[in-house]
Amino acid sequence: MKAYKFKLKPSAKLIAIFDMWLRLLCELYNAAIQERRDAYRINGVCVGKKEQSAQLPDIKKERDDLARIHSQVIQETLKRVDLAFKNFFRRVKEKKEKAGFPRFRSHCRYDSFTYPQSGFKMDQKRKKLHLSKIGSVKLHLSRPIEGVIKTCTIKREADGWYVIFAVEENERKPVVVAPEDEVGIDVGLKSFAVLSTGEPIENPQLYRQAEASLKRAQRRVSRRRKGSHRRKKAARLLAKKHQTVARQRRDFHFKEAKKLVVRFRVIKFEDLMMGNLMKNHHLAKSICDAGWSQFISIAASKAEEAGGRVIVVNPAGTSSRCSRCGQKHKMPLHIRTYRCSSCGLVIDRDHNAAINIKERKGRAVLSGRRRVAVVEEPRTCRATDPESPTITGTRA
Ligand SMILES: [Zn+2]
Protein backbone atom coordinates (compact mmCIF):
# COMPACT_ATOMS: atom_id res chain seq x y z
CA MET A 1 0.00 0.00 0.00
CA LYS A 2 1.11 3.49 -0.77
CA ALA A 3 -0.39 6.78 0.36
CA TYR A 4 -1.16 9.61 -2.05
CA LYS A 5 -2.02 13.00 -0.65
CA PHE A 6 -3.55 15.85 -2.60
CA LYS A 7 -4.82 19.26 -1.70
CA LEU A 8 -8.51 19.80 -2.22
CA LYS A 9 -10.17 22.89 -3.64
CA PRO A 10 -13.51 22.76 -1.88
CA SER A 11 -16.16 25.44 -2.17
CA ALA A 12 -17.39 27.22 0.94
CA LYS A 13 -20.47 25.03 0.85
CA LEU A 14 -18.39 21.85 0.85
CA ILE A 15 -16.18 23.11 3.65
CA ALA A 16 -19.29 23.66 5.72
CA ILE A 17 -20.31 20.04 5.10
CA PHE A 18 -16.81 18.72 5.91
CA ASP A 19 -16.82 20.70 9.13
CA MET A 20 -20.28 19.51 10.06
CA TRP A 21 -19.34 15.88 9.44
CA LEU A 22 -16.23 16.21 11.56
CA ARG A 23 -18.23 17.77 14.38
CA LEU A 24 -20.82 15.01 14.29
CA LEU A 25 -18.28 12.22 13.95
CA CYS A 26 -16.28 13.67 16.81
CA GLU A 27 -19.42 13.67 18.90
CA LEU A 28 -20.05 10.06 17.93
CA TYR A 29 -16.45 9.15 18.71
CA ASN A 30 -16.67 10.68 22.17
CA ALA A 31 -20.08 9.13 22.83
CA ALA A 32 -18.77 5.70 21.88
CA ILE A 33 -15.85 6.10 24.26
CA GLN A 34 -18.19 7.31 26.99
CA GLU A 35 -20.46 4.32 26.53
CA ARG A 36 -17.61 1.87 26.82
CA ARG A 37 -16.26 3.62 29.89
CA ASP A 38 -19.65 3.66 31.60
CA ALA A 39 -20.45 0.08 30.72
CA TYR A 40 -17.16 -1.00 32.19
CA ARG A 41 -17.22 1.18 35.28
CA ILE A 42 -20.86 0.68 36.19
CA ASN A 43 -21.61 -2.83 35.04
CA GLY A 44 -18.16 -4.27 34.51
CA VAL A 45 -18.97 -5.33 30.96
CA CYS A 46 -17.09 -4.70 27.78
CA VAL A 47 -19.02 -3.16 24.93
CA GLY A 48 -17.48 -4.01 21.57
CA LYS A 49 -17.63 -2.65 18.07
CA LYS A 50 -20.39 -5.10 17.12
CA GLU A 51 -22.71 -3.92 19.88
CA GLN A 52 -22.02 -0.30 19.10
CA SER A 53 -22.60 -0.75 15.39
CA ALA A 54 -25.87 -2.51 16.12
CA GLN A 55 -27.18 0.62 17.80
CA LEU A 56 -26.57 2.79 14.75
CA PRO A 57 -29.95 2.29 13.05
CA ASP A 58 -31.77 3.43 16.19
CA ILE A 59 -29.48 6.38 16.66
CA LYS A 60 -29.99 7.42 13.05
CA LYS A 61 -33.75 7.36 13.51
CA GLU A 62 -33.45 9.96 16.22
CA ARG A 63 -30.68 11.96 14.66
CA ASP A 64 -31.35 13.20 11.15
CA ASP A 65 -27.97 14.91 10.98
CA LEU A 66 -26.08 11.65 11.56
CA ALA A 67 -28.31 9.85 9.11
CA ARG A 68 -27.07 12.16 6.38
CA ILE A 69 -23.49 10.91 6.76
CA HIS A 70 -22.35 8.00 4.61
CA SER A 71 -22.86 4.84 6.66
CA GLN A 72 -19.39 3.42 6.06
CA VAL A 73 -17.82 6.64 7.27
CA ILE A 74 -19.76 6.29 10.51
CA GLN A 75 -18.72 2.66 10.85
CA GLU A 76 -15.11 3.66 10.35
CA THR A 77 -15.39 6.13 13.23
CA LEU A 78 -16.52 3.32 15.52
CA LYS A 79 -13.62 1.29 14.24
CA ARG A 80 -11.24 4.04 15.38
CA VAL A 81 -12.76 3.84 18.85
CA ASP A 82 -12.32 0.08 18.75
CA LEU A 83 -8.70 0.47 17.70
CA ALA A 84 -8.06 2.98 20.48
CA PHE A 85 -9.37 0.47 23.02
CA LYS A 86 -7.49 -2.45 21.51
CA ASN A 87 -4.26 -0.46 21.72
CA PHE A 88 -5.10 0.48 25.28
CA PHE A 89 -5.63 -3.16 26.31
CA ARG A 90 -2.45 -4.19 24.53
CA ARG A 91 -0.50 -1.58 26.47
CA VAL A 92 -2.07 -2.75 29.73
CA LYS A 93 -1.10 -6.32 28.89
CA GLU A 94 2.45 -5.49 27.94
CA LYS A 95 2.90 -3.25 30.98
CA LYS A 96 5.61 -1.55 29.00
CA GLU A 97 4.43 1.99 29.09
CA LYS A 98 1.83 3.83 31.05
CA ALA A 99 -1.43 2.68 29.54
CA GLY A 100 -3.38 5.88 29.02
CA PHE A 101 -7.11 5.32 28.76
CA PRO A 102 -8.60 6.28 25.36
CA ARG A 103 -9.37 9.95 25.56
CA PHE A 104 -12.15 12.20 24.47
CA ARG A 105 -11.27 14.41 21.57
CA SER A 106 -12.08 18.04 21.29
CA HIS A 107 -13.57 19.13 18.01
CA CYS A 108 -10.41 20.96 16.99
CA ARG A 109 -8.35 17.80 17.37
CA TYR A 110 -10.69 15.57 15.45
CA ASP A 111 -9.67 16.34 11.92
CA SER A 112 -10.31 13.49 9.53
CA PHE A 113 -12.90 11.05 8.29
CA THR A 114 -12.52 8.03 6.02
CA TYR A 115 -14.46 6.20 3.37
CA PRO A 116 -13.05 2.71 4.07
CA GLN A 117 -14.25 0.92 0.91
CA SER A 118 -16.67 2.71 -1.33
CA GLY A 119 -18.71 5.87 -1.55
CA PHE A 120 -16.04 7.79 -3.43
CA LYS A 121 -15.01 7.99 -7.05
CA MET A 122 -11.88 9.55 -8.44
CA ASP A 123 -12.01 11.09 -11.90
CA GLN A 124 -8.34 11.59 -12.78
CA LYS A 125 -9.10 13.14 -16.16
CA ARG A 126 -11.24 15.92 -14.77
CA LYS A 127 -9.25 16.09 -11.52
CA LYS A 128 -12.42 15.64 -9.56
CA LEU A 129 -13.29 13.51 -6.58
CA HIS A 130 -16.87 12.49 -6.06
CA LEU A 131 -17.85 11.86 -2.46
CA SER A 132 -21.12 10.14 -1.75
CA LYS A 133 -23.55 12.23 0.32
CA ILE A 134 -21.30 15.27 -0.07
CA GLY A 135 -20.76 16.02 -3.75
CA SER A 136 -17.90 16.64 -6.16
CA VAL A 137 -14.73 18.41 -5.18
CA LYS A 138 -11.82 19.54 -7.34
CA LEU A 139 -8.27 18.75 -6.34
CA HIS A 140 -4.66 19.50 -7.23
CA LEU A 141 -3.69 16.22 -8.84
CA SER A 142 0.05 16.71 -8.55
CA ARG A 143 0.91 13.23 -9.81
CA PRO A 144 -1.07 10.40 -11.38
CA ILE A 145 -2.40 7.66 -9.13
CA GLU A 146 -1.01 4.28 -10.13
CA GLY A 147 -2.88 1.31 -8.71
CA VAL A 148 -6.20 0.57 -7.08
CA ILE A 149 -7.54 3.08 -4.56
CA LYS A 150 -8.62 1.28 -1.40
CA THR A 151 -9.58 3.98 1.08
CA CYS A 152 -10.21 7.70 0.93
CA THR A 153 -9.58 10.01 3.87
CA ILE A 154 -10.54 13.68 4.03
CA LYS A 155 -8.34 15.64 6.40
CA ARG A 156 -8.30 19.16 7.79
CA GLU A 157 -4.88 20.73 8.16
CA ALA A 158 -3.60 24.15 9.12
CA ASP A 159 -3.74 25.44 5.55
CA GLY A 160 -6.82 23.74 4.21
CA TRP A 161 -8.31 20.39 3.25
CA TYR A 162 -6.57 17.32 1.87
CA VAL A 163 -7.49 13.93 0.55
CA ILE A 164 -5.34 10.91 1.28
CA PHE A 165 -5.77 7.74 -0.76
CA ALA A 166 -4.42 4.39 0.34
CA VAL A 167 -3.49 2.75 -2.94
CA GLU A 168 -2.58 -0.83 -3.66
CA GLU A 169 0.34 -0.60 -6.03
CA ASN A 170 0.33 -2.52 -9.27
CA GLU A 171 3.61 -4.04 -10.22
CA ARG A 172 6.86 -3.00 -8.72
CA LYS A 173 9.16 -1.19 -11.08
CA PRO A 174 12.27 -3.09 -12.10
CA VAL A 175 14.98 -2.70 -9.51
CA VAL A 176 18.27 -1.10 -10.45
CA VAL A 177 21.05 -2.44 -8.27
CA ALA A 178 23.04 0.27 -6.52
CA PRO A 179 26.73 0.34 -7.43
CA GLU A 180 28.25 0.45 -3.94
CA ASP A 181 27.83 -2.05 -1.17
CA GLU A 182 27.54 -0.62 2.29
CA VAL A 183 27.62 2.72 4.02
CA GLY A 184 27.54 3.69 7.70
CA ILE A 185 25.95 6.98 8.68
CA ASP A 186 26.39 8.90 11.89
CA VAL A 187 24.46 11.86 13.21
CA GLY A 188 26.67 14.85 12.70
CA LEU A 189 27.02 17.60 15.22
CA LYS A 190 27.96 20.28 12.74
CA SER A 191 26.43 18.69 9.68
CA PHE A 192 23.20 16.71 9.40
CA ALA A 193 25.10 13.45 8.99
CA VAL A 194 28.49 12.05 8.08
CA LEU A 195 28.98 9.02 5.84
CA SER A 196 31.62 6.37 6.39
CA THR A 197 33.18 7.61 3.15
CA GLY A 198 33.87 10.87 4.98
CA GLU A 199 31.35 12.95 3.05
CA PRO A 200 29.06 15.12 5.16
CA ILE A 201 25.39 15.78 4.47
CA GLU A 202 25.02 19.44 5.28
CA ASN A 203 22.29 20.49 7.66
CA PRO A 204 19.69 22.85 6.29
CA GLN A 205 19.05 24.04 9.85
CA LEU A 206 15.47 24.64 8.93
CA TYR A 207 14.10 24.46 12.37
CA ARG A 208 16.60 26.72 14.05
CA GLN A 209 16.18 29.29 11.34
CA ALA A 210 12.45 29.17 11.77
CA GLU A 211 12.70 28.91 15.52
CA ALA A 212 12.80 32.62 16.19
CA SER A 213 9.78 33.18 14.05
CA LEU A 214 8.01 30.26 15.71
CA LYS A 215 8.78 31.69 19.12
CA ARG A 216 7.35 35.03 18.12
CA ALA A 217 4.20 33.38 16.85
CA GLN A 218 3.97 31.33 20.03
CA ARG A 219 4.28 34.43 22.19
CA ARG A 220 1.61 36.16 20.20
CA VAL A 221 -0.77 33.28 20.92
CA SER A 222 -0.14 33.23 24.64
CA ARG A 223 -0.44 37.01 24.95
CA ARG A 224 -3.93 37.05 23.57
CA ARG A 225 -6.98 36.37 25.67
CA LYS A 226 -8.21 32.78 25.79
CA GLY A 227 -11.27 32.19 23.68
CA SER A 228 -10.83 35.40 21.76
CA HIS A 229 -11.06 35.64 18.02
CA ARG A 230 -7.61 37.21 17.82
CA ARG A 231 -6.05 34.31 19.72
CA LYS A 232 -7.58 31.82 17.34
CA LYS A 233 -6.18 33.76 14.43
CA ALA A 234 -2.70 33.80 15.98
CA ALA A 235 -2.93 30.07 16.69
CA ARG A 236 -3.80 29.35 13.06
CA LEU A 237 -0.75 31.28 11.98
CA LEU A 238 1.47 29.36 14.38
CA ALA A 239 0.09 26.03 13.15
CA LYS A 240 0.88 27.05 9.59
CA LYS A 241 4.46 27.89 10.49
CA HIS A 242 4.91 24.50 12.13
CA GLN A 243 3.45 22.83 9.08
CA THR A 244 5.83 24.62 6.75
CA VAL A 245 8.88 23.63 8.79
CA ALA A 246 7.74 20.00 8.99
CA ARG A 247 7.22 19.92 5.22
CA GLN A 248 10.59 21.43 4.41
CA ARG A 249 12.28 18.92 6.65
CA ARG A 250 10.40 16.00 5.15
CA ASP A 251 11.31 17.19 1.70
CA PHE A 252 14.97 17.41 2.67
CA HIS A 253 14.85 13.89 4.13
CA PHE A 254 13.34 12.48 0.96
CA LYS A 255 15.96 14.08 -1.24
CA GLU A 256 18.89 12.92 0.88
CA ALA A 257 17.47 9.41 1.31
CA LYS A 258 17.07 9.10 -2.42
CA LYS A 259 20.68 10.08 -3.04
CA LEU A 260 21.84 7.40 -0.60
CA VAL A 261 19.65 4.65 -1.98
CA VAL A 262 20.85 5.22 -5.51
CA ARG A 263 24.45 4.72 -4.37
CA PHE A 264 24.35 2.08 -1.64
CA ARG A 265 22.69 -1.31 -1.30
CA VAL A 266 22.93 -1.44 2.49
CA ILE A 267 22.64 1.67 4.66
CA LYS A 268 23.49 1.48 8.33
CA PHE A 269 22.46 3.81 11.14
CA GLU A 270 22.72 3.80 14.89
CA ASP A 271 19.72 2.22 16.56
CA LEU A 272 17.97 5.08 18.31
CA MET A 273 15.89 2.70 20.40
CA MET A 274 19.01 1.27 21.99
CA GLY A 275 21.07 4.36 22.40
CA ASN A 276 21.33 7.00 25.02
CA LEU A 277 21.58 9.67 22.37
CA MET A 278 18.59 11.49 23.70
CA LYS A 279 20.02 11.68 27.20
CA ASN A 280 22.52 14.30 26.24
CA HIS A 281 20.75 17.62 26.08
CA HIS A 282 23.05 19.26 23.66
CA LEU A 283 22.74 16.36 21.29
CA ALA A 284 19.05 15.86 21.91
CA LYS A 285 18.29 19.17 20.34
CA SER A 286 20.15 18.54 17.17
CA ILE A 287 18.69 15.06 16.86
CA CYS A 288 15.14 16.26 17.37
CA ASP A 289 15.88 19.05 15.00
CA ALA A 290 17.03 16.70 12.32
CA GLY A 291 14.04 14.43 12.85
CA TRP A 292 16.45 11.57 12.71
CA SER A 293 13.98 8.75 13.11
CA GLN A 294 11.85 10.14 10.32
CA PHE A 295 14.90 10.15 8.12
CA ILE A 296 15.68 6.51 8.95
CA SER A 297 12.17 5.39 8.13
CA ILE A 298 12.09 7.34 4.87
CA ALA A 299 15.45 5.82 3.94
CA ALA A 300 14.06 2.36 4.79
CA SER A 301 11.09 2.87 2.55
CA LYS A 302 13.17 4.21 -0.32
CA ALA A 303 15.68 1.38 0.08
CA GLU A 304 12.91 -1.17 -0.08
CA GLU A 305 11.65 0.29 -3.34
CA ALA A 306 15.13 0.06 -4.76
CA GLY A 307 15.74 -3.47 -3.53
CA GLY A 308 18.16 -2.37 -0.80
CA ARG A 309 18.09 -2.46 2.99
CA VAL A 310 18.42 -0.23 6.01
CA ILE A 311 20.12 -1.72 9.07
CA VAL A 312 20.33 -0.26 12.55
CA VAL A 313 23.20 -1.23 14.82
CA ASN A 314 24.00 -1.02 18.52
CA PRO A 315 25.44 2.47 19.05
CA ALA A 316 27.48 1.63 22.16
CA GLY A 317 31.03 2.89 21.80
CA THR A 318 30.82 3.89 18.15
CA SER A 319 32.45 7.22 18.86
CA SER A 320 35.06 6.00 21.35
CA ARG A 321 36.43 3.08 19.32
CA CYS A 322 39.24 3.61 16.84
CA SER A 323 37.99 2.55 13.44
CA ARG A 324 41.44 1.36 12.36
CA CYS A 325 42.86 -0.56 15.33
CA GLY A 326 39.87 -1.01 17.66
CA GLN A 327 41.51 0.73 20.62
CA LYS A 328 39.13 2.72 22.85
CA HIS A 329 39.62 6.32 23.88
CA LYS A 330 37.36 8.59 25.86
CA MET A 331 35.67 11.05 23.52
CA PRO A 332 33.83 13.90 25.30
CA LEU A 333 31.49 15.78 23.00
CA HIS A 334 33.63 18.88 22.63
CA ILE A 335 36.49 16.93 21.06
CA ARG A 336 35.90 17.10 17.34
CA THR A 337 38.88 15.13 16.06
CA TYR A 338 39.69 11.55 16.89
CA ARG A 339 43.39 10.95 17.58
CA CYS A 340 44.38 7.36 18.24
CA SER A 341 47.40 7.03 20.49
CA SER A 342 47.96 3.40 19.48
CA CYS A 343 47.96 3.53 15.69
CA GLY A 344 48.23 7.25 15.12
CA LEU A 345 44.96 7.61 13.21
CA VAL A 346 43.71 11.19 13.00
CA ILE A 347 40.18 11.48 11.73
CA ASP A 348 37.02 13.56 12.17
CA ARG A 349 35.00 12.31 15.13
CA ASP A 350 31.77 11.65 13.21
CA HIS A 351 33.62 10.08 10.31
CA ASN A 352 35.27 7.63 12.71
CA ALA A 353 31.89 6.75 14.22
CA ALA A 354 30.34 6.27 10.78
CA ILE A 355 33.03 3.75 9.86
CA ASN A 356 32.39 1.85 13.09
CA ILE A 357 28.68 1.83 12.30
CA LYS A 358 29.39 0.44 8.87
CA GLU A 359 31.42 -2.44 10.32
CA ARG A 360 28.73 -3.58 12.75
CA LYS A 361 25.99 -6.13 12.38
CA GLY A 362 22.45 -5.06 13.26
CA ARG A 363 18.78 -5.54 12.56
CA ALA A 364 16.89 -4.62 9.41
CA VAL A 365 14.34 -1.82 9.52
CA LEU A 366 11.05 -2.65 7.90
CA SER A 367 9.56 0.31 6.20
CA GLY A 368 5.91 -0.12 7.12
CA ARG A 369 4.87 0.61 3.56
CA ARG A 370 2.40 -2.19 3.81
CA ARG A 371 0.51 -0.60 6.61
CA VAL A 372 -0.64 2.76 5.45
CA ALA A 373 -1.33 4.70 8.58
CA VAL A 374 -2.30 8.21 7.76
CA VAL A 375 -5.14 8.94 10.06
CA GLU A 376 -3.77 9.69 13.49
CA GLU A 377 -0.61 11.70 13.42
CA PRO A 378 0.53 12.57 16.91
CA ARG A 379 0.55 16.28 17.59
CA THR A 380 3.68 17.43 19.23
CA CYS A 381 2.83 21.04 19.57
CA ARG A 382 0.01 21.84 21.91
CA ALA A 383 0.14 25.46 21.05
CA THR A 384 -1.36 24.79 17.65
CA ASP A 385 -4.73 24.42 19.31
CA PRO A 386 -6.83 27.52 19.29
CA GLU A 387 -8.24 26.43 22.66
CA SER A 388 -7.22 23.99 25.28
CA PRO A 389 -9.28 20.89 24.54
CA THR A 390 -12.66 20.78 26.16
CA ILE A 391 -13.91 17.42 27.30
CA THR A 392 -17.39 16.72 26.17
CA GLY A 393 -18.88 13.34 26.82
CA THR A 394 -22.10 13.97 25.03
CA ARG A 395 -24.23 11.01 24.21
CA ALA A 396 -25.58 10.60 20.74
ZN1 LIG B 1 43.90 3.22 16.35
Side-chain angles (χ1 to χ4, degrees):
M1 289 282 219
K2 195 173 175 180
Y4 285 77
K5 187 173 175 184
F6 304 107
K7 187 151 194 196
L8 293 173
K9 297 190 255 186
S11 62
K13 202 179 128 201
L14 282 183
I15 290 175
I17 300 177
F18 289 164
D19 266 325
M20 188 177 68
W21 278 33
L22 281 184
R23 232 186 335 268
L24 290 168
L25 291 167
C26 176
E27 192 188 337
L28 181 73
Y29 181 93
N30 285 334
I33 285 190
Q34 176 91 55
E35 189 190 19
R36 291 200 187 201
R37 278 186 170 196
D38 290 352
Y40 189 74
R41 279 196 191 140
I42 300 168
N43 302 322
V45 286
C46 286
V47 179
K49 181 170 172 275
K50 243 188 195 168
E51 288 88 348
Q52 293 197 317
S53 298
Q55 298 173 27
L56 283 176
D58 284 338
I59 295 172
K60 281 187 188 170
K61 264 180 222 159
E62 284 173 37
R63 293 279 302 259
D64 291 347
D65 46 3
L66 267 176
R68 279 200 287 270
I69 298 180
H70 193 271
S71 61
Q72 284 191 4
V73 174
I74 294 183
Q75 291 281 358
E76 201 271 342
T77 304
L78 292 180
K79 207 171 152 190
R80 288 183 192 187
V81 175
D82 198 49
L83 201 70
F85 272 86
K86 277 192 178 135
N87 285 335
F88 165 65
F89 288 126
R90 180 184 47 79
R91 288 196 301 267
V92 170
K93 217 175 154 189
E94 285 174 359
K95 284 182 188 156
K96 263 188 190 165
E97 40 197 320
K98 210 174 146 215
F101 203 82
R103 294 209 303 205
F104 295 119
R105 296 276 199 86
S106 77
H107 168 55
C108 57
R109 284 199 173 210
Y110 198 87
D111 48 21
S112 70
F113 61 86
T114 299
Y115 290 84
Q117 278 172 17
S118 55
F120 60 91
K121 211 172 174 185
M122 182 62 214
D123 185 343
Q124 293 207 53
K125 238 186 194 165
R126 291 200 187 89
K127 300 182 179 177
K128 255 185 175 179
L129 171 67
H130 182 78
L131 298 167
S132 171
K133 300 220 171 187
I134 291 184
S136 285
V137 54
K138 282 204 149 195
L139 50 85
H140 291 278
L141 196 68
S142 44
R143 55 178 174 153
I145 303 168
E146 287 158 2
V148 186
I149 302 175
K150 290 294 182 185
T151 72
C152 165
T153 297
I154 306 295
K155 188 157 187 273
R156 179 179 55 206
E157 290 194 6
D159 66 341
W161 294 83
Y162 289 81
V163 62
I164 300 152
F165 296 115
V167 174
E168 206 170 62
E169 286 174 296
N170 299 336
E171 274 169 39
R172 283 286 166 90
K173 288 164 211 149
V175 169
V176 185
V177 177
E180 287 170 76
D181 241 6
E182 284 193 336
V183 68
I185 299 176
D186 190 31
V187 187
L189 276 183
K190 266 191 301 180
S191 48
F192 171 73
V194 177
L195 313 192
S196 51
T197 55
E199 299 153 84
I201 300 176
E202 289 310 331
N203 211 330
Q205 294 288 349
L206 297 167
Y207 194 82
R208 254 170 247 182
Q209 248 175 38
E211 204 170 46
S213 121
L214 279 172
K215 258 190 192 151
R216 267 200 307 282
Q218 172 68 63
R219 267 202 304 275
R220 202 175 305 131
V221 175
S222 40
R223 251 201 327 264
R224 292 182 178 176
R225 190 167 45 79
K226 264 194 180 175
S228 71
H229 179 68
R230 276 161 51 80
R231 185 180 168 109
K232 274 183 195 154
K233 205 170 152 192
R236 268 201 300 275
L237 216 78
L238 175 64
K240 263 193 189 173
K241 285 214 165 116
H242 272 289
Q243 193 188 33
T244 311
V245 174
R247 279 185 184 159
Q248 285 171 334
R249 177 164 36 209
R250 215 173 122 80
D251 189 50
F252 167 71
H253 286 168
F254 265 102
K255 278 184 187 142
E256 292 304 327
K258 190 155 190 200
K259 282 187 213 160
L260 290 173
V261 165
V262 171
R263 274 179 65 187
F264 304 100
R265 272 190 287 268
V266 178
I267 303 166
K268 290 182 174 176
F269 296 99
E270 284 188 341
D271 193 346
L272 294 180
M273 307 288 269
M274 287 173 78
N276 52 0
L277 285 167
M278 286 301 192
K279 276 182 196 155
N280 184 311
H281 273 287
H282 179 65
L283 248 185
K285 186 166 177 184
S286 65
I287 289 171
C288 275
D289 189 344
W292 198 246
S293 63
Q294 174 178 284
F295 181 59
I296 294 180
S297 77
I298 287 174
S301 138
K302 287 266 155 218
E304 206 166 273
E305 267 182 345
R309 262 184 318 158
V310 164
I311 306 271
V312 287
V313 306
N314 187 344
T318 44
S319 19
S320 57
R321 185 183 173 276
C322 170
S323 59
R324 184 151 79 193
C325 72
Q327 190 68 248
K328 286 198 170 180
H329 301 278
K330 272 206 174 139
M331 282 295 289
L333 269 175
H334 64 274
I335 299 182
R336 305 294 321 142
T337 307
Y338 192 96
R339 287 172 216 278
C340 180
S341 55
S342 322
C343 72
L345 176 71
V346 177
I347 185 173
D348 172 73
R349 171 203 182 93
D350 298 329
H351 184 192
N352 180 58
I355 297 173
N356 282 326
I357 291 168
K358 184 189 164 191
E359 309 286 291
R360 290 199 181 179
K361 285 201 168 76
R363 64 179 175 89
V365 180
L366 299 175
S367 75
R369 281 172 70 82
R370 280 173 197 92
R371 299 174 282 116
V372 176
V374 284
V375 184
E376 305 300 342
E377 290 169 13
R379 297 268 183 100
T380 45
C381 177
R382 293 191 71 93
T384 52
D385 278 350
E387 308 289 6
S388 53
T390 47
I391 291 176
T392 44
T394 42
R395 280 185 161 273

PDB file of all heavy atoms in Angstrom, residues 322 324-325 327 340 343 345, ligand 1:
ATOM      1  N   CYS A 322      38.461   3.225  18.012  1.00  0.00           N
ATOM      2  CA  CYS A 322      39.238   3.608  16.836  1.00  0.00           C
ATOM      3  C   CYS A 322      38.829   2.713  15.667  1.00  0.00           C
ATOM      4  O   CYS A 322      38.806   1.496  15.799  1.00  0.00           O
ATOM      5  CB  CYS A 322      40.739   3.455  17.107  1.00  0.00           C
ATOM      6  SG  CYS A 322      41.722   3.634  15.601  1.00  0.00           S
ATOM      7  N   ARG A 324      40.360   2.091  13.029  1.00  0.00           N
ATOM      8  CA  ARG A 324      41.436   1.365  12.356  1.00  0.00           C
ATOM      9  C   ARG A 324      41.969   0.214  13.209  1.00  0.00           C
ATOM     10  O   ARG A 324      42.101  -0.895  12.750  1.00  0.00           O
ATOM     11  CB  ARG A 324      42.584   2.311  11.999  1.00  0.00           C
ATOM     12  CG  ARG A 324      43.667   1.598  11.204  1.00  0.00           C
ATOM     13  CD  ARG A 324      44.402   2.526  10.279  1.00  0.00           C
ATOM     14  NE  ARG A 324      45.387   3.314  10.986  1.00  0.00           N
ATOM     15  CZ  ARG A 324      45.998   4.391  10.465  1.00  0.00           C
ATOM     16  NH1 ARG A 324      45.692   4.812   9.253  1.00  0.00           N
ATOM     17  NH2 ARG A 324      46.883   5.048  11.149  1.00  0.00           N
ATOM     18  N   CYS A 325      42.235   0.485  14.520  1.00  0.00           N
ATOM     19  CA  CYS A 325      42.858  -0.559  15.329  1.00  0.00           C
ATOM     20  C   CYS A 325      41.946  -1.097  16.433  1.00  0.00           C
ATOM     21  O   CYS A 325      42.270  -2.082  17.083  1.00  0.00           O
ATOM     22  CB  CYS A 325      44.172  -0.066  15.924  1.00  0.00           C
ATOM     23  SG  CYS A 325      43.911   1.136  17.237  1.00  0.00           S
ATOM     24  N   GLN A 327      41.192   0.198  19.292  1.00  0.00           N
ATOM     25  CA  GLN A 327      41.515   0.729  20.622  1.00  0.00           C
ATOM     26  C   GLN A 327      40.428   1.725  21.062  1.00  0.00           C
ATOM     27  O   GLN A 327      39.842   2.413  20.223  1.00  0.00           O
ATOM     28  CB  GLN A 327      42.863   1.449  20.528  1.00  0.00           C
ATOM     29  CG  GLN A 327      43.463   1.855  21.843  1.00  0.00           C
ATOM     30  CD  GLN A 327      43.890   0.671  22.690  1.00  0.00           C
ATOM     31  OE1 GLN A 327      43.299   0.420  23.727  1.00  0.00           O
ATOM     32  NE2 GLN A 327      44.898  -0.066  22.247  1.00  0.00           N
ATOM     33  N   CYS A 340      44.102   8.641  17.603  1.00  0.00           N
ATOM     34  CA  CYS A 340      44.377   7.360  18.239  1.00  0.00           C
ATOM     35  C   CYS A 340      45.843   7.319  18.668  1.00  0.00           C
ATOM     36  O   CYS A 340      46.743   7.502  17.857  1.00  0.00           O
ATOM     37  CB  CYS A 340      44.058   6.221  17.290  1.00  0.00           C
ATOM     38  SG  CYS A 340      44.389   4.622  18.030  1.00  0.00           S
ATOM     39  N   CYS A 343      47.558   3.695  17.085  1.00  0.00           N
ATOM     40  CA  CYS A 343      47.957   3.534  15.691  1.00  0.00           C
ATOM     41  C   CYS A 343      48.203   4.864  14.984  1.00  0.00           C
ATOM     42  O   CYS A 343      48.586   4.887  13.817  1.00  0.00           O
ATOM     43  CB  CYS A 343      46.929   2.707  14.923  1.00  0.00           C
ATOM     44  SG  CYS A 343      45.396   3.577  14.614  1.00  0.00           S
ATOM     45  N   LEU A 345      46.027   7.145  14.104  1.00  0.00           N
ATOM     46  CA  LEU A 345      44.958   7.610  13.208  1.00  0.00           C
ATOM     47  C   LEU A 345      44.432   8.973  13.665  1.00  0.00           C
ATOM     48  O   LEU A 345      44.151   9.167  14.842  1.00  0.00           O
ATOM     49  CB  LEU A 345      43.810   6.592  13.196  1.00  0.00           C
ATOM     50  CG  LEU A 345      42.583   6.960  12.381  1.00  0.00           C
ATOM     51  CD1 LEU A 345      42.877   6.909  10.890  1.00  0.00           C
ATOM     52  CD2 LEU A 345      41.422   6.029  12.708  1.00  0.00           C
TER      53      LEU A 345
HETATM   54 ZN    ZN B   1      43.904   3.223  16.353  1.00  0.00          ZN
END
